[in-house]
Amino acid sequence: MRQGRSRFGEAGRAIRQSRDSIADIWGERTGFHGEDQWPARVDEALIEEPERWVQSACVLCSNGCALDIGVKDGRIVGVRGREVDRVNRGRLGPKGLHGWRANNSPDRLTRPLIRSGTGFREASWDEAMGLIVSRSQELIRDYTGSSIGFYTTGQLMLEEYYTLSVIGKAGIGTPHMDGNTRLCTATAAAALKETFGSDGQPGSYSDIDTTDCILHVGHNIAETDTVLWMKVLDRRRGPNPPKLIAIDTRETPTAKEADIHLSPKPGTNVPVLNGLLNLIIEGGGVDRAFVEAHTIGFDKLKETVSKYTPERVEELSGVPAERLREAGRMLTEAKSLVSTVLQGVYQSMQATAAAVQVNNINLIRGFIGKQGCGLLQMNGQPTAQNTRECGADGDLPAFRNWDNPEHIKELAELWNVEMDKIPHWAPPTHALEIFNYAEKGSIRMLWIQATNPAVSLPDLGRVRSILKNPNLFVVVQDMFPTETTELADVVLPAAGWGEKTGTFTNVDRTVHITHKAVEPPGEAKSDLDIFLDYARRMDFRDKDGRPLIKWHDPESTFEAWKACTRGRPCDYTGLSYAKLTGGSGIPWPCNEQQTEGTKRLYEDHHFPTEPEYCESFGHDLVTGGVVTPTEYKALNPSGKALLKAAEYHAPHEEPDDAYPFWLSTGRLVYHFHTRTKTGRSEELHNAAPDAFIEMNVADVLGNGLREGDWVSVSSRRGKVEARIRIGDIEPGRVFIPFHYGYWDDPERMRAANELTLFEWDAVSKQPHFKYAAVSISKIDEPQTDQPDTAPTIASEVVDRLKHMADAAMKVVKPEHRHVREYLGLLEGSERALADALEKVAEAHAREPDIRNECHLLAHWSRKELDELRSLIERYGEEREAETDRLGSALKPQQKATGFGLVRDLHDCWLLANESHVSLVILAQAASGLRDEQMKGLIKRIDEQNHRQRTWLMTRIKRASPQALTVPS
C-alpha cells in the first residue's frame, strides 16, 4: 500500500460545529408528535468560513440527508444540514459531518495507472482507455459480450448507473452486471418484489411521525441510520410515544432503547417471525376485511405459521417463549405499525423468506398505505436504490420484468436496438456468480467501479486469487488506492461526491440533487464522463446507425432516464433538475398525476402485481426456483399482495467442537463500507481506529482472556487477529466489524471477511455474512502478515503471470465453445430416442396407435437429426458416453403386455426429456451467441419434442391404471 504519506483529508479543528458528534452521536432531543411536525435542527461542521454554499446530500448511509457543501478557494471547508428538507430537517450524523474531509486526502488517485513489470506506471487517458477498449473489442469478437462483467457500487449517481446499464445491456450485450448493493440491499428488492410485485418502499419516513409501534428487525438503526434514529428518539421523548420492538442477535443501542428485545440465534429469523405471525393470528389481530379484499395466500400462511408455537420458537431460536408472547401482544394490540428491516435479516439464513414475513406482519394487520403504517425494507448504501432502479444490478431499468417479452420490447424501442441485443434469456448474473465465472475463466474482463471487493466480499482468500487470475483483465475505477486497485491491470481516477452533479434516491424514494461544488483533483473524471468516453470509443450504435448513447451530461442523462420511467412504478417524469434545486427532495412517483411526489405508496391498496405490469413473477422462497409466467398468471393476483409462507431451514454451517462460536459481522457508527472514505477522515478514524473481537464477558473469562488481549479467530476459510472487547452479546457468539482491511497497512490479517462463507440466499443471492463457525485462541502478539497486495510484492508476481499467460496463448489452440458438447448430447439422445421408438412400435404392433404413433415420432427424431447437421458443421460435435449409457439403461423391455407397454413408453419419455434438456440449454446458448438461425432451428425441434413428450405422457396415463391394477 501507500507508505510515508498522510492519508487524512483537510487538517484543522472545526471553527464552528453544532455539536461534537463523535461523543454526542444523536444530539439533543426535540420531542414531537404529528405528521411532518418534526422540529428543525441545523447541524454543521466547518474548518473555515465558506465563500459559498452548494446544495447536495450525504452519501454515507442510505438515509439521504440533505446538506449544503461549504466552499472556499476551490475546496470543501465544511457542511451544514438543510433545514428545508423532509428527510432530516437539518440534522446530520457523524459521517455526514466529518466524511467530507476525505475529498481533500493527499492520496487521491489523480492520473490513470497501467500495470507494468514494476507495479504501476502513470498513463494518459488516451492510453488507458485505448487499452480498455481494445481488450473489450477483442473479447466481444472472440467470445461475445458474455465474456465481460461489471461490478459496480451503491455510490454513483443515478445518471451514471443508467448510462452504465445501457452500455452493458444494449451496447455490449452482457448479462453480467451487478453491484456491491448485492451485499447490502438485494434482499430488500427481492422481498418487495415477492410480496408487492415490484421494488419500491411502500412506507415513508413520515410514518414514524404518528405511528403507535415500531418494529426493527435485524436493523441497528441507531448506528446504521443515525438521523432516522434521531427521529425515532424524538418520537419516543414526545407526546404519545410509540412502543418499540427490536429483533437483533446483539444488544445494540437500538435494542437497549427497545421496550422488547428479542435476541435469536444466528440464522433463525424465520421461526421467530413465523412465531409472531402465529401469535397475531391467534390473538385476533388480523384485519380480515383487508386480507380478503387485498391479499392472496392467507390460508397457506396461517397453516404454515400455526406450527411455530412460542415453545417451538424458543427451541429453534433461543428466544424465550414468554418474551415472544409479549412481542406478539404488542403487535396485535398496536393501532399502527412501522416495520424496518436491514442486514440482520438480509445477510443471514433464509434472508428473503424472513424479510417477506415482515411484509406479512404489516399486511395481515392491514397496516399498509396508511398514515403511521409504513414498511421500510431498508437499503445499506446511499444510492443503492438507483442501482436497482436503473438496472445496474442486472435487473431491467425502471422495474421491468426480464421474463416479460413486452418489457424487453419497450426497452428495445426506447434504445432503438433489436430485442435480442438485450440479455433476457435467463436471470441476471449476481455478484458472487460473476466472481465465480471469473474464477473459472468464463468472464475474462471485469470492470469494478467505486467499490472494494478485496475487502467486502466473503472468503477473501478466494476473492484475491480470482482477481490475481492471469487470464482476467481487471479495470478499477475509484477515488482512492484500495486493496482492489492494487490487483488491477488499469486504474482510472474518479471524481467523487461534491466534485460532480447528479441525483440519487434514498430509502423512502426521496430524490435529491447534488450539485458540483469543486473540481476533482488532477486528471480525475466523473464516472459519467468515463462511461460516455468508453461508449464513444467503442462506437456503440443503435439499429439506425446513430450513437447508442444520445446524452452528453448529467441533466440530459436525467431527461433520458425520465423517458425510461414513464408509466412504471418509479415514474420520474414530473421531476427536473430545476424542481429538485432549492427546496426539499421529492419522493417518486412524481408525474402529471402526482406533481409534488408521493409520500407513501399503495394508499388505494392496489399493488403492482398484474402479470403484464409486475417486475417479477416471484420465486420459491426456500429453493429460489423461479415461478413461471404460466404459474404466476394462474395465481391471478390482479392487484393483490401475495402472502408467501416459508418453513424454517437451519444455517448451512453451525458451531461444533472444532469451531465452537457463532460469528456475525456488522457495521460501526463511525465507518462506512471498507473505510475508503471514512478512514481518511481523522475524526472518524480516531473514533474507531481498528478492528476488534467482541465477546460476552463469560466467554472471555471462561477462555482465560481479558479485555484487550490479542486473539486469533479462525474459520474453515481463514483467520484474523485483533484485540478482545467485552460487549453486550450473548454467550457463544462473536462480533467483528467488517470495515477494516489492509490499505492502511495494519501488518496483520484483520479483515472479517477472511472468515465468512462464499454462499448466498436462494432468492436474493445476497451473501451470508451474519453466520459462520469460528474458534478463538489467545496469542501474545499478531503472528500473521497482511495479504500481499502491494505493487512491489504481489503485483510483480501477477504481472509476470499475465505475461506468461499471454505468451502461452499465442502457441496453444484457442478454447472451443462448449456448444459442440451439447450438440453431441442432443444428437446422441435423439438417435437413442428414434431407435427406442421404432423398437416399441414393433414390440407392440398389435396396438395400432402405438405402432403408428411411435413410427411417426421416430420419423420426427430422424428428421431432426438431419436438421442438426448444419449446426454440427458450424460448431462441431463432441459425443460423450452419457447418451449411449442412457440409451442402454433405458432400453425398452419390448414385452407385449400392458405393464411392458407402460415401461417401454416410460423409457421413451425419459429419452425425450433428455433431448428436451439439451434443447433448453442450446436455446439459451443461441440467445447468448445471438445466432438467429440456431434459435429458429432449436425452437422448431423443441416444438416437435414437446409433441413427442405430450403424446407419450398421454398414452402412459391411459395405459397405467389397467396395467398396474390388473395382472396380465
Side-chain angles (χ1 to χ4, degrees):
M1 298 299 167
R2 301 294 190 264
Q3 299 280 359
R5 298 176 63 187
S6 170
R7 64 177 180 275
F8 296 123
E10 194 73 26
R13 186 166 54 85
I15 63 166
R16 187 167 74 243
Q17 61 179 354
S18 52
R19 73 182 190 283
D20 178 1
S21 63
I22 301 300
D24 183 10
I25 296 169
W26 306 290
E28 64 181 351
R29 300 279 56 78
T30 53
F32 80 106
H33 176 270
E35 183 155 298
D36 300 330
Q37 297 302 305
W38 194 20
R41 189 194 83 196
V42 177
D43 294 335
E44 64 178 359
L46 304 170
I47 59 171
E48 292 187 48
E49 199 64 42
E51 297 169 342
R52 59 190 175 93
W53 293 97
V54 179
Q55 181 179 347
S56 185
C58 180
V59 293
L60 290 172
C61 84
S62 63
N63 206 55
C65 296
L67 55 76
D68 292 323
I69 300 173
V71 180
K72 183 178 182 181
D73 296 332
R75 63 191 223 288
I76 299 174
V77 295
V79 293
R80 70 181 181 192
R82 288 179 59 80
E83 178 178 346
V84 70
D85 200 81
R86 66 181 299 272
V87 169
N88 58 318
R89 298 302 312 279
R91 293 165 181 78
L92 295 172
K95 293 192 289 290
L97 287 167
H98 299 290
W100 60 269
R101 295 198 181 214
N103 279 58
N104 300 323
S105 174
D107 69 342
R108 287 286 301 271
L109 295 169
T110 59
R111 293 199 67 192
L113 303 173
I114 294 177
R115 183 166 302 287
S116 72
T118 57
F120 288 108
R121 62 175 176 80
E122 291 187 341
S124 67
W125 275 98
D126 273 345
E127 184 184 10
M129 293 303 292
L131 178 58
I132 295 168
V133 167
S134 65
R135 185 60 63 94
S136 300
Q137 292 171 336
E138 173 188 337
L139 290 172
I140 293 169
R141 181 189 68 236
D142 293 345
Y143 303 106
T144 79
S146 292
S147 61
I148 299 175
F150 292 87
Y151 185 59
T152 191
T153 181
Q155 290 281 299
L156 304 187
M157 301 292 137
L158 177 155
E159 295 79 0
E160 293 164 338
Y161 291 128
Y162 183 56
T163 303
L164 176 64
S165 181
V166 177
I167 286 172
K169 291 172 174 58
I172 295 173
T174 178
H176 309 311
M177 181 179 291
D178 201 359
N180 66 13
T181 51
R182 183 66 56 184
L183 315 183
C184 63
T185 189
T187 301
L192 293 169
K193 287 186 275 190
E194 294 297 327
T195 299
F196 303 110
S198 175
D199 197 348
Q201 303 294 342
S204 165
Y205 290 166
S206 297
D207 288 320
I208 294 172
D209 301 353
T210 59
T211 192
D212 182 54
C213 185
I214 300 173
L215 172 64
H216 294 309
V217 187
H219 181 198
N220 180 18
I221 181 175
E223 297 193 79
T224 61
D225 301 273
T226 53
V227 173
L228 195 58
W229 181 240
M230 295 175 199
K231 175 177 268 199
V232 172
L233 290 177
D234 286 349
R235 273 298 324 278
R236 296 268 291 174
R237 304 300 183 267
N240 305 312
K243 297 291 192 296
L244 181 61
I245 303 169
I247 303 177
D248 200 303
T249 59
R250 300 165 58 223
E251 192 175 0
T252 63
T254 308
K256 291 177 180 178
E257 172 71 19
D259 298 295
I260 298 174
H261 172 213
L262 307 180
S263 180
K265 291 191 300 187
T268 61
N269 289 316
V270 165
V272 171
L273 293 164
N274 280 353
L276 291 173
L277 283 162
N278 183 40
L279 289 167
I280 293 169
I281 293 170
E282 287 191 341
V286 177
D287 184 333
R288 297 282 178 179
F290 177 90
V291 167
E292 290 177 10
H294 303 296
T295 71
I296 61 173
F298 178 76
D299 290 341
K300 178 64 175 177
L301 177 68
K302 180 181 177 181
E303 177 189 350
T304 300
V305 302
S306 66
K307 293 172 277 188
Y308 292 84
T309 63
E311 289 71 26
R312 184 177 181 222
V313 172
E314 180 173 2
E315 180 184 342
L316 293 172
S317 71
V319 172
E322 188 51 43
R323 185 63 60 86
L324 189 78
R325 287 190 178 95
E326 291 175 16
R329 279 193 295 271
M330 190 174 286
L331 292 171
T332 301
E333 295 169 1
K335 303 298 187 293
S336 55
L337 174 67
V338 170
S339 300
T340 74
V341 189
L342 198 58
Q343 312 299 22
V345 170
Y346 300 165
Q347 295 178 342
S348 193
M349 184 67 182
Q350 293 187 277
T352 306
V356 164
Q357 303 321 304
V358 181
N359 296 347
N360 290 342
I361 289 173
N362 275 67
L363 282 170
I364 68 171
R365 296 273 8 243
F367 289 159
I368 199 88
K370 302 175 183 177
Q371 187 180 93
C373 296
L375 176 63
L376 296 169
Q377 296 280 354
M378 299 293 294
N379 297 338
Q381 292 193 73
T383 70
Q385 190 66 42
N386 303 119
T387 317
R388 293 169 6 211
E389 291 170 6
C390 297
D393 65 341
D395 285 343
L396 295 180
F399 301 157
R400 288 177 172 86
N401 188 341
W402 64 267
D403 212 13
N404 185 334
E406 288 302 313
H407 288 192
I408 309 300
K409 182 180 179 182
E410 288 174 11
L411 288 175
E413 291 175 350
L414 179 70
W415 298 334
N416 194 31
V417 297
E418 299 293 343
M419 284 180 61
D420 287 344
K421 183 66 176 180
I422 302 170
H424 63 279
W425 48 84
T429 313
H430 62 89
L432 293 192
E433 196 66 47
I434 287 174
F435 279 81
N436 190 34
Y437 285 157
E439 183 177 47
K440 294 175 179 177
S442 178
I443 287 179
R444 294 165 183 258
M445 172 177 163
L446 183 60
W447 191 339
I448 300 167
Q449 301 106 27
T451 190
N452 190 14
V455 174
S456 60
L457 285 183
D459 193 0
L460 288 181
R462 180 176 179 181
V463 172
R464 284 190 294 269
S465 70
I466 292 169
L467 292 173
K468 292 178 181 180
N469 183 344
N471 293 320
L472 180 66
F473 182 71
V474 179
V475 180
V476 181
Q477 187 169 313
D478 211 319
M479 295 172 64
F480 300 100
T482 68
E483 295 83 346
T484 304
T485 63
E486 300 297 343
L487 297 171
D489 294 285
V490 179
V491 179
L492 302 178
W497 166 89
E499 300 165 356
K500 57 186 178 180
T501 295
T503 57
F504 57 91
T505 308
N506 77 347
V507 171
D508 83 337
R509 297 168 284 102
T510 299
V511 184
H512 286 109
I513 191 167
T514 175
H515 288 285
K516 183 177 180 179
V518 298
E519 293 296 328
E523 297 179 18
K525 294 184 179 183
S526 75
D527 298 275
L528 178 62
D529 285 340
I530 294 170
F531 295 148
L532 292 174
D533 185 31
Y534 177 73
R536 282 192 297 269
R537 292 172 185 266
M538 289 292 291
D539 197 27
F540 293 130
R541 298 279 168 172
D542 67 14
K543 62 184 182 181
D544 293 330
R546 296 178 299 170
L548 173 67
I549 306 299
K550 299 173 177 62
W551 44 92
H552 60 279
D553 64 6
E555 189 166 10
S556 61
T557 310
F558 187 76
E559 292 300 312
W561 166 246
K562 285 164 58 177
C564 185
T565 68
R566 186 178 300 279
R568 297 302 301 161
C570 55
D571 195 329
Y572 278 66
T573 52
L575 294 173
S576 67
Y577 272 28
K579 190 167 186 170
L580 291 168
T581 299
S584 173
I586 300 171
W588 62 252
C590 182
N591 49 31
E592 292 179 355
Q593 291 74 40
Q594 296 127 318
T595 57
E596 299 306 314
T598 306
K599 188 177 293 183
R600 61 183 59 85
L601 300 181
Y602 313 136
E603 289 185 312
D604 61 355
H605 297 152
H606 182 94
F607 305 98
T609 53
E610 291 87 354
E612 64 275 9
Y613 189 73
C614 67
E615 184 184 1
S616 171
F617 297 132
H619 301 77
D620 181 310
L621 293 184
V622 173
T623 69
V626 173
V627 176
T628 67
T630 301
E631 291 168 335
Y632 185 81
K633 289 173 184 175
L635 290 173
N636 192 27
S638 298
K640 295 183 179 182
L642 287 80
L643 294 167
K644 289 192 167 186
E647 295 282 4
Y648 167 65
H649 291 266
H652 300 144
E653 181 173 279
E654 297 184 286
D656 56 21
D657 291 342
Y659 299 95
F661 290 93
W662 282 110
L663 168 70
S664 180
T665 67
R667 302 184 184 198
L668 302 178
V669 68
Y670 302 110
H671 284 305
F672 182 75
H673 204 47
T674 62
R675 300 167 53 253
T676 307
K677 293 180 181 177
T678 56
R680 288 174 167 87
S681 164
E682 191 166 5
E683 295 88 346
L684 297 173
H685 167 80
N686 290 340
D690 203 351
F692 57 85
I693 313 297
E694 184 175 278
M695 297 178 68
N696 180 277
V697 63
D699 287 333
V700 172
L701 298 177
N703 284 273
L705 302 170
R706 294 178 300 176
E707 178 147 11
D709 281 351
W710 283 101
V711 295
S712 174
V713 182
S714 299
S715 76
R716 291 176 174 85
R717 291 152 294 280
K719 69 168 55 178
V720 300
E721 297 172 333
R723 292 186 184 273
I724 285 288
R725 178 181 295 182
I726 294 174
D728 297 315
I729 189 170
E730 295 287 332
R733 303 180 193 176
V734 172
F735 170 80
I736 305 177
F738 66 69
H739 306 291
Y740 300 92
Y742 306 104
W743 61 261
D744 53 347
D745 298 307
E747 299 182 346
R748 71 180 197 279
M749 301 293 281
R750 69 168 179 182
N753 283 321
E754 305 287 354
L755 307 171
T756 48
L757 294 158
F758 197 94
E759 64 172 41
W760 50 80
D761 178 64
V763 179
S764 69
K765 316 305 181 187
Q766 187 158 349
H768 291 164
F769 292 111
K770 293 296 185 184
Y771 72 84
V774 298
S775 64
I776 294 178
S777 58
K778 183 179 178 179
I779 56 176
D780 293 330
E781 60 184 14
Q783 299 173 347
T784 59
D785 295 321
Q786 68 187 64
D788 289 336
T789 56
T792 55
I793 305 172
S795 298
E796 293 181 0
V797 177
V798 173
D799 189 58
R800 286 197 300 272
L801 288 171
K802 288 179 183 285
H803 282 298
M804 290 169 62
D806 288 341
M809 287 296 293
K810 295 177 182 178
V811 297
V812 301
K813 185 173 72 173
E815 308 95 327
H816 68 267
R817 293 190 174 108
H818 293 288
V819 172
R820 71 189 201 180
E821 277 88 351
Y822 266 92
L823 286 171
L825 282 171
L826 177 59
E827 194 271 345
S829 60
E830 281 296 291
R831 192 176 303 282
L833 176 60
D835 292 344
L837 286 166
E838 288 171 348
K839 291 176 181 176
V840 171
E842 296 307 318
H844 302 279
R846 295 181 65 82
E847 300 197 41
D849 68 320
I850 297 296
R851 182 186 67 242
N852 295 335
E853 294 302 326
C854 284
H855 277 309
L856 175 62
L857 269 54
H859 170 71
W860 288 353
S861 288
R862 300 287 185 202
K863 184 179 179 183
E864 289 157 7
L865 286 168
D866 291 339
E867 292 178 331
L868 281 173
R869 294 313 308 168
S870 62
L871 293 181
I872 291 171
E873 289 171 4
R874 184 138 40 100
Y875 291 105
E877 176 189 29
E878 188 164 314
R879 290 288 306 277
E880 296 185 4
E882 292 177 41
T883 51
D884 295 335
R885 290 197 300 269
L886 186 64
S888 299
L890 299 179
K891 185 176 181 179
Q893 298 182 21
Q894 303 170 35
K895 293 181 180 179
T897 62
F899 181 73
L901 175 61
V902 171
R903 284 303 316 240
D904 288 349
L905 293 175
H906 180 177
D907 288 346
C908 289
W909 185 82
L910 290 173
L911 284 167
N913 273 278
E914 171 67 18
S915 289
H916 174 62
V917 172
S918 294
L919 287 163
V920 169
I921 291 168
L922 286 166
Q924 297 293 93
S927 294
L929 291 165
R930 274 79 173 183
D931 187 330
E932 294 302 317
Q933 181 185 357
M934 182 177 177
K935 282 176 64 176
L937 177 56
I938 294 299
K939 181 181 179 182
R940 290 196 303 274
I941 295 175
D942 199 35
E943 287 171 351
Q944 293 285 66
N945 178 268
H946 175 74
R947 295 172 71 186
Q948 290 173 318
R949 288 180 290 118
T950 299
W951 181 84
L952 287 164
M953 183 53 66
T954 301
R955 197 61 177 82
I956 288 169
K957 288 180 177 180
R958 176 180 162 191
S960 56
Q962 188 71 14
L964 271 65
T965 56
V966 180
S968 63

